[in-house]
Amino acid sequence: MTKKLDLMPVIKTTLIVMAVIFVSQVLIGKQVISFGSVSIPILPMLFAVMIGMAISLVVVRDKIKLWGKVFTEKEESFASNMVGFSLLILGTQYAGMIIPNIDNILEAGVPLIFQELGNLLPIFIAIPLAVKFGLGREAIGACSSISREPSIAVVQGKYGTGTPEYIGVLAIYLCGSVIGTLWFSVLGSLGSLSGLHPLALAAGSGVGSGSMLSAASGALVSTLSPDMAAQALSIAAASNLLSSVIGALSLTFIGLPLAEFMYKICNKKEVAANA
Amino acid sequence: MLKSIHDMKFVFLALALAIFTETLTTGTPLFSMWDSAVAMSVIVFLALVTKHYINSPLPAFAYATLIGIAICLPDTVIRTFFLDSIGKVGFLSCCVPLLAFAGLSVGGKMEELKKLSWKIVVLFLVVSTSCFFGASMIAQIGFTMKGII
């Protein structure tokens, strides 16, 4: 199980990440964009993900030959493994946030369970759009949930590998893996403009993957008081835990049947409109 | 068990980077956070071992959260030690290296994304935005009904 570890990618990736952290944290730091009375904070972590994406682009690696030699597929795959290990550290942080707020969480428990129903919203919004775009049954896989790992398992179990539904859920999964972190940090920063309470938005931050959770909740709490921030982070973590536990169940018994139904209605309308 | 021990090397690296970020941000001396490193790595190690023996759809970091809660739930000296030491390293300092790694690991995959139609990207934005606000709205209603907010 334990292979001899190739040290070079580890050292190179660590140095690169330290440089990215230094640039985003110290050289750039926290920036604020203001539109009149509204100000949107842009956190160093957002710069970190953007710099990381920019320098690992294939175009950049091909254009700058020397860099391409330094940052190869080995370094990229090591970085991808390190995401998982960094998430473990973050997991302990969430525990540290939840413990002092455990009473709040327990009190928020029932609404948090029902919050899973909010994840059905894309079925009503995205499926009609997908049908308009000309997607077939891919729409059912793509738009019935946020398409993280549990969703893939459920769709694969129900429809099988290689089916249009499976391709749909995989396509959204891939999009989410590539731009999801960035998009959730945008959602976390802009969410407060909707007028929803920070604690409610914290619950919304937990709908996706671990890195989406960290990006959205991190951006969300940056403007809150320390007390409120700790409460919001603990709710976000609890919401994410519940999503992983209940998400697969609600997708199986409510999400997919509802998506099938919605798809049929939209398809009929589309056929009627074209006739 | 062996794999969990092997994985701990990378956990230490991730920890070191989080502590490094904390030092850069707040100026807290690196070595004064030794207790944070101990507390967090104990929890992570227990999480890795548990995940190895009790598999479930929960991601590994959720195990770390649950085990952290289990350790700190009884009001003992251990709880005080863990909460104080974990609290020394800021939440955002743990996010920055994570997102730097996340960025580095996906730039290469942008090519694959280009192969998909732009429509899929639009659909992803619509799906994720409606999940985020859908869940937030239900929570807003629920929290208001329970008088939390």
Side-chain angles (χ1 to χ4, degrees):
Chain A
M1 232 191 249
T2 41
K3 280 179 303 185
K4 192 168 170 1
L5 186 67
D6 192 359
L7 264 183
M8 267 325 269
V10 178
I11 296 171
K12 279 197 272 180
T13 316
T14 307
L15 290 176
I16 293 168
V17 164
M18 285 171 80
V20 172
I21 294 173
F22 183 76
V23 171
S24 38
Q25 191 81 40
V26 180
L27 296 187
I28 307 180
K30 185 176 163 183
Q31 303 284 329
V32 177
I33 307 180
S34 324
F35 299 101
S37 60
V38 182
S39 54
I40 302 158
I42 306 179
L43 295 179
M45 63 179 195
L46 185 59
F47 295 115
V49 72
M50 288 197 293
I51 297 171
M53 280 170 88
I55 61 177
S56 60
L57 283 177
V58 176
V59 196
V60 178
R61 275 144 74 172
D62 284 348
K63 278 266 153 60
I64 310 168
K65 289 266 164 10
L66 188 68
W67 170 244
K69 272 189 196 138
V70 174
F71 192 78
T72 64
E73 268 167 28
K74 272 189 194 163
E75 282 72 29
E76 185 180 316
S77 94
F78 180 67
S80 155
N81 290 338
M82 282 306 291
V83 174
F85 294 116
S86 308
L87 263 176
L88 286 167
I89 307 290
L90 205 66
T92 66
Q93 283 278 329
Y94 280 118
M97 301 286 177
I98 287 179
I99 283 293
N101 288 296
I102 196 103
D103 294 335
N104 277 324
I105 304 269
L106 292 179
E107 205 183 331
V110 178
L112 279 181
I113 291 172
F114 279 107
Q115 169 228 289
E116 198 59 38
L117 293 177
N119 295 350
L120 303 174
L121 192 61
I123 297 175
F124 301 103
I125 299 176
I127 289 194
L129 184 66
V131 173
K132 272 264 175 307
F133 279 172
L135 265 78
R137 293 185 61 83
E138 286 87 355
I140 295 173
C143 310
S144 51
S145 73
I146 194 144
S147 305
R148 299 319 302 165
E149 286 84 355
S151 309
I152 294 183
V154 169
V155 171
Q156 188 181 21
K158 183 155 180 180
Y159 299 98
T161 315
T163 54
E165 293 85 351
Y166 183 67
I167 293 169
V169 74
L170 273 191
I172 299 293
Y173 175 80
L174 176 65
C175 274
S177 312
V178 179
I179 52 172
T181 315
L182 192 59
W183 184 240
F184 266 78
S185 62
V186 174
L187 287 177
S189 327
L190 298 183
S192 52
L193 300 182
S194 68
L196 291 169
H197 194 275
L199 291 184
L201 292 166
S205 305
V207 294
S209 67
S211 25
M212 290 175 181
L213 163 72
S214 61
S217 58
L220 174 69
V221 302
S222 67
T223 50
L224 303 177
S225 68
D227 262 11
M228 196 62 164
Q231 264 192 52
L233 286 174
S234 60
I235 293 218
S239 146
N240 191 258
L241 264 173
L242 280 173
S243 297
S244 331
V245 179
I246 315 174
L249 279 176
S250 95
L251 180 62
T252 312
F253 295 109
I254 311 174
L256 285 177
L258 197 61
E260 290 267 6
F261 177 70
M262 199 65 198
Y263 175 74
K264 262 184 213 135
I265 296 181
C266 295
N267 230 2
K268 261 189 207 144
K269 267 195 209 151
E270 194 70 2
V271 172
N274 290 341
Chain B
M1 194 73 171
L2 210 60
K3 177 152 191 335
S4 309
I5 294 172
H6 172 72
D7 283 347
M8 282 311 285
K9 287 184 232 163
F10 302 113
V11 172
F12 290 138
L13 180 59
L15 250 172
L17 286 167
I19 290 176
F20 166 72
T21 313
E22 179 70 23
T23 301
L24 278 186
T25 318
T26 61
T28 315
L30 268 185
F31 293 102
S32 72
M33 287 177 273
W34 65 270
D35 51 345
S36 322
V38 172
M40 290 198 243
S41 38
V42 167
I43 297 177
V44 170
F45 181 67
L46 291 175
L48 286 172
V49 174
T50 317
K51 170 86 182 163
H52 183 72
Y53 287 106
I54 311 171
N55 213 339
S56 79
L58 280 181
F61 81 92
Y63 278 81
T65 306
L66 289 177
I67 286 179
I69 294 174
I71 291 179
C72 298
L73 211 45
D75 198 355
T76 57
V77 209
I78 302 176
R79 172 196 174 119
T80 322
F81 169 74
F82 273 84
L83 286 186
D84 286 352
S85 48
I86 293 175
K88 265 197 216 169
V89 182
F91 175 79
L92 288 177
S93 300
C94 296
C95 285
V96 176
L98 167 72
L99 293 200
F101 280 123
L104 282 174
S105 65
V106 298
K109 294 197 196 101
M110 285 296 253
E111 297 297 305
E112 279 176 64
L113 200 63
K114 269 196 229 155
K115 280 187 225 148
L116 292 176
S117 140
W118 59 270
K119 290 173 184 169
I120 287 290
V121 179
V122 173
L123 278 181
F124 165 73
L125 297 179
V126 173
V127 167
S128 53
T129 310
S130 43
C131 272
F132 177 81
F133 283 111
S136 302
M137 283 186 298
I138 301 266
Q140 174 94 10
I141 297 169
F143 289 170
T144 312
M145 276 163 61
K146 288 210 88 179
I148 298 173
I149 53 176

